[in-house]
Amino acid sequence: MLTAEFESLASQIDGDLARTPIDRCMLATDASIFSIRPEAVVYPRHTRDVVATLEFARCHGLSVHPRGAGSGLCGSALGRGMVVDFTRHMNRLIRIDRDAKTVECEPGYRLGEMEAALAGSGLFFPPDPSSGEYASLGGMVATNASGAHAVKYGNVADYLMDAEVVLASGQMVSLAALSTIPMGELPDPFGRLAQCYLDHRETIETGYPAVSHNVAGYNLRGLVKDGRLHLQHLFCGAEGTLGIATRLKFRLMDKPAHDSLVVAFFDTIHKAARAVQAILPMQPAGIEVMDKSLLELARASDPLLGQRIPAGIDNVLMVEFDGRRSEETEALGRQVLALLAARELTNDAHLSVSSQEKARFWAIRKAAVPILYKLKGEKKILALIEDAVVPTDRLVEYFTGIYALLNQHQVRFVVYGHIAKGLLHTRPLLNLKDPADVGLLKTLADGVFDLVSGLGGVVSGEHGDGRLRSAYVRRQYPALFPLFRKTKRLLDPDNLLNPEIKTASTADQMMRHLRYGTGYRPQNLNFRSLNWPSGWQAAIERCHGCTKCTTLTTATRMCPIYKFTRREAAAPKAKANVLRALISGALDDGALYQKAFQAVIDQCVGCGSCRLECPSNVDIPKLALEARAAYVRRFGPTLHSRLVTGVETLGRYGGRLSRGLAPVLRFGLARRAGELLTGVSRHRPFVAMARESLFRQVPPVAGSGGKRVIYFSGCYAGYIRPGIGRALVQTLTRLGMTVYTPVQHCCGLPLLTKGMADAAREKVRRNLARWGDLLSRVDYVVVTCSSCGLALLQEWGYLLNTPLIRQVAEKVIHFSRLVQPAMAAAGMRPVNLSAAYHQPCHLKIQPDPQCTASLMGSVPGLTLATLKSHCCGMAGTWGLAAKNESLSRTIGNHLMGLIDSSGADVAVTDCPTCEMQMAQLGSRPVMHPVEIAARCLDGIS
């Protein structure tokens, strides 16, 4: 379509319209197996933008695809037309009315945000899908989401009080307002819809399987009650095919104050199914199952889980009760134990009532499922037949049938899920680059449909139909399907909204538009600067699009830039998406060297949090480093990059010069000129070098103890704040260690983050040359800078693959891990200080990330507040740039608020650039934890 036509739409809306190839690639996928590039993406700011978009789409014959967080497993948010994404702008919490127990929000608001807003109120929103921390409320309405506790609390439809909905025609309606209008006065098309229900009431009310959780097709039941039209249950689960919600209102419930958990191990699935039948009358809040397929995989993949999960068991049930009184929930748990023993179902069951006990058992469940995404090899865990629900009295037959079907086709699989409501997440492992496995998609889906429908169930229990299961809606409901189509025609006569979902009947739909599939042919692009032991292509393809990386709360550190911009390009998954588009040929080879492509890559600041927190452990920072290095190799580094990575050079040769510049740079004109020339923000304080470097203040060898260490100070302690290095040497020598502090070079990480891979590699080589054979003679290489620690532990291995590099990685240790046992033995002097500790991102992703918090928690007299914070916002040298300074401050303000709220005397962190940010934005002195360690050892021999 002509760009001019889209420019016309862009001028009509207050939101954003994006249609570059890169923008379209970023929205071509969700958490499903599919990939479809839209014609354009609209990010509306308000309802009027949605109306204008629908009008434009209708005039130009384009389909419209509403999108929430993109965490759906069925591909419902994808399509060739116009994707309407609500997460960028229409994401507000409108109000929480605690007296009325209601919440109103826009569709892009996340459940995790709602839970944070409700904390301490005594209220909660019961639906809790596993993606809830990052799922949008609009998306949850679209799928009628539920979760682990739905057996007691139901689905989203049970809580939706009102929605402002825009129909495909542009007509705006309130569902609550419609429900007040007498039948004879309903406007079109709602009067005809109500009459359709009345004409076919018996067919509708008797036409659905007897399962309580069913999102297959449209829910027409109860559409008219007491002469009024009630559309909440119809729109919930309609997957954006009948209208677009722009405002939502939900009821809340009083949150149970107590809960108990029974964990029971069984030797057969039949006994577990019988146990579920016996427990259900007791009204549990939820019952989860993990069967032998998942448990065996978890035990084999994780040594810790191998210890926690008993050998020889077939499955485990986790039975949860909640209520207002602890005596009540504990008594129910004990009844379950007695019931299981009396019926000789199992004697291996445990009741947990304390938070520590429950956390230990839930840790098994939470750790086991993410393992599925980390499995090596071409076969990946897929959502395909994962949503089947059967009557709970047919569970044994379902298990027997699903095992037989998958074993017949020699497909590995796992089963887990919400067994209390008869819903099992069966996930096969398939390689969708293999034509044979692609062929199995329909074979398995057909087999599961036949099995489940024969047992009186449905194949879509809570995730939706989407592109995976819409093909089965007609077969599921032969009598109702014509009414589904009539409903669609009444509310969307032009078939504008998600036309391939729900009422489309393409038999092989689940095999079309695959993200990989038989036509996927990755190119071998030879521009790599880094080592990729498992392959560059494989690293890109590990991202399965789950969207966890767009979590907005402090439940994750990732991604600091996305959290505060909510722009798709900032999400870690966006980098994987554009890189996959590059290697697959969806983007031209030259796209890598375009500014638009690099703008996406530059949204990664290298905090590394996604490397740890991503369920698939996709190394987005390393992928971004590689892409940035290719660009810099072709065009060279900018002056700004050269300057902010030149601390070592300035420290070595310009220390006195830098201090002389400080008075000059106090003048505003000089600072503005400096910003124009260098790109460094004029609002950042000038960082002067110390008069004497650390290497002139401490001897090359200090102490004479038996434990010997190399101290790698990094540039900050080496040239800017040598007091940190002095404190470290003082601490280690007092603890009886020999400390070698050779003159050293930058760790290379600042250079690498700017794409200067060759220069970083040279720094590594020079450091190794300086150390010579000293490396083999010491016990550890100790660091006080968390970023230097990460560089030595991991990034050096990106640049060089030698035995020396591996030796460094084996010996590097953060100072806190090294000194805590020795300090406890030596005894410590009370420090009488209160401190607020910020854990750096780069420490969080290293071994024993709590080491500093643990060390300081052991210091007598120190009152410690460990902050649950976001990234500080400086992100290495990223926050120094004028173009990033405002966002850097915005990110950092959250941390500053936590520090102020703590009332601490000082702020503490292990990271130099975190320290700089905290010192500039905060009002308290900032210390390095080694300075506190040195203080509490002062005077102790």
Side-chain angles (χ1 to χ4, degrees):
M1 188 174 293
L2 296 176
T3 300
E5 294 170 309
F6 279 103
E7 287 177 353
S8 172
L9 174 61
S11 68
Q12 296 175 47
I13 64 175
D14 294 325
D16 309 322
L17 186 147
R19 64 181 306 267
T20 69
I22 288 173
D23 289 317
R24 293 160 62 201
C25 284
M26 288 191 293
L27 272 293
T29 58
D30 55 8
S32 72
I33 61 177
F34 304 106
S35 178
I36 305 175
R37 272 208 290 183
E39 186 69 28
V41 182
V42 174
Y43 299 95
R45 287 189 181 273
H46 43 62
T47 300
R48 295 189 305 279
D49 284 353
V50 176
V51 173
T53 300
L54 286 166
E55 173 66 22
F56 179 88
R58 193 166 53 252
C59 290
H60 294 91
L62 293 170
S63 55
V64 177
H65 309 273
R67 182 180 175 108
S71 58
L73 297 173
C74 305
S76 302
L78 309 179
R80 295 188 187 91
M82 301 181 69
V83 168
V84 182
D85 188 326
F86 291 95
T87 56
R88 180 180 293 184
H89 299 306
M90 292 187 70
N91 53 39
R92 295 182 307 127
L93 169 65
I94 297 169
R95 72 173 58 87
I96 293 175
D97 187 331
R98 298 188 179 188
D99 295 329
K101 299 180 184 178
T102 63
V103 58
E104 294 179 61
C105 65
E106 291 179 321
Y109 188 59
R110 311 288 182 108
L111 178 58
E113 294 179 283
M114 181 194 288
E115 290 174 341
L118 291 172
S121 70
L123 300 172
F124 83 123
F125 183 65
D128 59 343
S130 60
S131 60
E133 193 65 52
Y134 44 94
S136 72
L137 272 299
M140 290 175 62
V141 168
T143 59
N144 196 17
S146 53
H149 299 98
V151 66
K152 180 174 181 178
Y153 292 107
N155 297 22
V156 167
D158 298 311
Y159 300 90
L160 182 66
M161 300 176 67
D162 191 16
E164 180 182 88
V165 176
V166 183
L167 300 185
S169 64
Q171 180 181 358
M172 292 181 287
V173 297
S174 158
L175 301 190
L178 281 173
S179 68
T180 66
I181 300 174
M183 281 277 297
E185 299 175 19
L186 282 169
D188 271 341
F190 302 106
R192 285 184 288 159
L193 178 62
Q195 190 60 50
C196 176
Y197 170 80
L198 294 176
D199 291 344
H200 302 279
R201 185 198 298 262
E202 184 176 355
T203 300
I204 290 170
E205 295 298 338
T206 60
Y208 294 84
V211 290
S212 58
H213 296 86
N214 175 7
V215 296
Y218 293 135
N219 185 3
L220 298 175
R221 290 169 292 185
L223 208 58
V224 177
K225 294 178 182 177
D226 302 322
R228 298 292 190 270
L229 181 67
H230 299 274
L231 294 176
Q232 284 86 340
H233 281 76
L234 172 60
F235 272 89
C236 283
E239 298 182 59
T241 61
L242 301 179
I244 300 178
T246 58
R247 183 167 174 150
L248 302 164
K249 182 178 182 180
F250 302 98
R251 70 183 179 94
L252 303 171
M253 291 188 67
D254 292 321
K255 187 174 185 177
H258 301 280
D259 58 71
S260 64
L261 177 69
V262 173
V263 179
F265 300 98
F266 297 86
D267 55 14
T268 71
I269 197 67
H270 303 78
K271 290 181 179 179
R274 287 164 53 199
V276 170
Q277 286 292 301
I279 295 168
L280 281 174
M282 300 168 64
Q283 296 186 314
I287 309 177
E288 294 287 288
V289 66
M290 293 186 287
D291 93 324
K292 62 183 177 183
S293 56
L294 176 58
L295 296 175
E296 289 172 359
L297 198 57
R299 295 184 83 255
S301 303
D302 188 323
L304 183 59
L305 290 180
Q307 297 172 15
R308 290 182 174 178
I309 299 172
I313 64 168
D314 182 86
N315 65 87
V316 58
L317 292 184
M318 304 182 77
V319 184
E320 190 173 9
F321 294 96
D322 62 13
R324 295 185 176 184
R325 297 184 302 111
S326 59
E327 297 86 356
E328 170 194 351
T329 58
E330 184 174 346
L332 287 167
R334 296 197 182 283
Q335 287 180 41
V336 170
L337 296 182
L339 181 152
L340 295 176
R343 301 196 181 189
E344 298 183 348
L345 296 173
T346 181
N347 290 315
D348 192 358
H350 312 272
L351 172 63
S352 302
V353 292
S354 73
S355 57
Q356 294 86 354
E357 288 177 310
K358 287 180 289 188
R360 182 166 61 87
F361 282 116
W362 276 120
I364 297 175
R365 167 69 170 81
K366 290 178 179 179
V369 175
I371 284 175
L372 304 176
Y373 295 111
K374 300 182 177 87
L375 295 176
K376 295 181 179 180
E378 292 291 341
K379 291 187 182 292
K380 305 296 182 185
I381 207 78
L382 299 185
L384 172 68
I385 52 175
E386 85 301 338
D387 207 27
V389 59
V390 299
T392 53
D393 61 357
R394 309 297 296 273
L395 281 168
V396 171
E397 294 162 273
Y398 173 76
F399 277 112
T400 301
I402 198 71
Y403 275 60
L405 174 67
L406 291 161
N407 289 333
Q408 174 191 342
H409 294 286
Q410 299 181 324
V411 174
R412 290 179 68 200
F413 65 96
V414 298
V415 179
Y416 60 97
H418 318 309
I419 195 171
K421 58 184 184 181
L423 197 154
L424 286 309
H425 296 318
T426 303
R427 307 287 291 268
L429 279 83
L430 297 173
N431 174 14
L432 293 189
K433 299 175 192 174
D434 182 344
D437 279 9
V438 171
L440 281 173
L441 292 176
K442 187 173 187 303
T443 300
L444 296 177
D446 284 349
V448 169
F449 175 80
D450 291 339
L451 169 66
V452 170
S453 61
L455 295 174
V458 294
V459 290
S460 298
E462 64 178 5
H463 295 159
D465 292 316
R467 297 176 179 278
L468 283 178
R469 291 179 285 270
S470 287
Y472 299 102
V473 175
R474 183 199 292 267
R475 292 174 61 186
Q476 181 76 59
Y477 304 109
L480 291 176
F481 191 73
L483 300 179
F484 292 169
R485 282 199 159 169
K486 184 171 183 178
T487 300
K488 173 71 169 173
R489 285 195 303 272
L490 285 171
L491 298 179
D492 181 15
D494 297 316
N495 203 23
L496 200 68
L497 298 171
N498 258 355
E500 296 177 308
I501 308 300
K502 291 290 187 183
T503 53
S505 294
T506 308
D508 63 346
Q509 187 178 27
M510 74 293 293
M511 300 172 64
R512 299 185 178 193
H513 305 298
L514 298 176
R515 185 184 305 195
Y516 298 110
T518 55
Y520 180 76
R521 295 286 185 274
Q523 306 172 76
N524 185 21
L525 303 178
N526 295 314
F527 57 76
R528 292 185 287 283
S529 297
L530 309 179
N531 296 320
W532 295 92
S534 299
W536 146 265
Q537 172 192 325
I540 294 170
E541 294 172 354
R542 291 188 74 174
C543 175
H544 63 281
C546 72
T547 302
K548 184 179 179 181
C549 58
T550 68
T551 299
L552 297 168
T553 66
T554 55
T556 66
R557 271 286 177 93
M558 65 175 178
C559 163
I561 307 304
Y562 183 86
K563 286 179 191 293
F564 290 89
T565 65
R566 306 201 190 202
R567 291 188 169 266
E568 188 71 20
K573 65 176 181 175
K575 287 74 172 174
N577 283 339
V578 297
L579 287 167
R580 188 178 59 253
L582 183 73
I583 65 172
S584 68
L587 289 175
D588 183 82
D589 293 1
L592 176 66
Y593 302 104
Q594 295 172 1
K595 289 184 177 180
F597 191 101
Q598 289 295 323
V600 177
I601 297 301
D602 285 345
Q603 296 291 307
C604 176
V605 297
C607 73
S609 298
C610 56
R611 180 188 299 152
L612 172 71
E613 295 172 335
C614 167
S616 297
N617 291 144
V618 185
D619 199 341
I620 295 296
K622 187 178 179 183
L623 292 170
L625 293 176
E626 186 71 86
R628 197 175 294 134
Y631 186 85
V632 169
R633 190 183 311 114
R634 174 170 291 193
F635 297 108
T638 63
L639 174 62
H640 173 79
S641 294
R642 292 183 186 277
L643 181 67
V644 297
T645 59
V647 173
E648 179 195 340
T649 301
L650 190 59
R652 282 176 181 269
Y653 306 112
R656 295 189 178 185
L657 173 64
S658 77
R659 299 188 75 83
L661 283 173
V664 177
L665 290 175
R666 291 196 187 102
F667 295 101
L669 186 61
R671 297 185 68 80
R672 286 190 179 89
E675 181 179 301
L676 288 172
L677 179 65
T678 67
V680 175
S681 172
R682 67 181 183 272
H683 301 295
R684 291 294 184 186
F686 177 70
V687 180
M689 301 296 111
R691 292 186 180 277
E692 287 191 325
S693 73
L694 172 69
F695 313 108
R696 293 187 177 185
Q697 296 185 37
V698 300
V701 183
S704 57
K707 186 174 290 185
R708 295 176 293 182
V709 303
I710 293 174
Y711 173 37
F712 190 86
S713 66
C715 295
Y716 192 73
Y719 300 107
I720 297 173
R721 208 155 83 71
I724 295 173
R726 291 197 308 270
L728 185 279
V729 173
Q730 172 187 327
T731 298
L732 297 189
T733 53
R734 282 183 174 164
L735 293 173
M737 302 184 200
T738 301
V739 184
Y740 297 90
T741 311
V743 177
Q744 53 205 240
H745 299 278
C746 174
C747 69
L749 185 57
L751 292 161
L752 188 55
T753 60
K754 297 299 181 185
M756 302 160 69
D758 292 337
R761 192 176 289 108
E762 183 58 27
K763 294 291 186 184
V764 176
R765 289 193 177 108
R766 289 184 180 183
N767 275 310
L768 294 174
R770 285 266 187 187
W771 294 350
D773 67 347
L774 181 60
L775 180 62
S776 63
R777 294 189 284 113
V778 298
D779 300 291
Y780 298 104
V781 179
V782 64
V783 295
T784 45
C785 169
S786 52
S787 295
C788 288
L790 182 65
L792 272 62
L793 180 71
Q794 190 162 274
E795 265 75 355
W796 282 18
Y798 296 171
L799 297 165
L800 295 170
N801 183 18
T802 68
L804 274 181
I805 293 295
R806 291 188 285 275
Q807 191 176 9
V808 171
E810 290 169 0
K811 292 191 175 186
V812 68
I813 189 170
H814 193 68
F815 95 94
S816 299
R817 292 180 66 200
L818 177 65
V819 304
Q820 184 174 5
M823 287 183 66
M828 293 178 273
R829 184 170 62 86
V831 296
N832 299 319
L833 188 70
S834 62
Y837 173 62
H838 169 65
Q839 182 188 46
C841 297
H842 282 175
L843 183 60
K844 191 178 178 71
I845 59 176
Q846 293 180 49
D848 195 5
Q850 303 302 324
C851 58
T852 295
S854 178
L855 169 65
M856 291 196 297
S858 69
V859 172
L862 180 68
T863 302
L864 182 67
T866 302
L867 307 176
K868 189 172 179 58
S869 56
H870 297 297
C871 168
C872 77
M874 183 62 88
T877 60
W878 178 85
L880 295 176
K883 64 180 181 179
N884 301 327
E885 195 262 348
S886 176
L887 178 57
S888 173
R889 284 174 175 268
T890 300
I891 296 171
N893 285 338
H894 175 262
L895 173 60
M896 297 307 113
L898 293 177
I899 293 172
D900 288 343
S901 298
S902 74
D905 301 323
V906 298
V908 181
T909 189
D910 317 70
C911 171
T913 53
C914 290
E915 179 179 310
M916 292 166 62
Q917 180 87 318
M918 292 158 69
Q920 182 183 358
L921 302 187
S923 58
R924 288 167 172 74
V926 185
M927 296 180 69
H928 192 284
V930 76
E931 295 174 303
I932 294 177
R935 183 182 296 188
C936 71
L937 288 177
D938 190 35
I940 296 175
S941 58

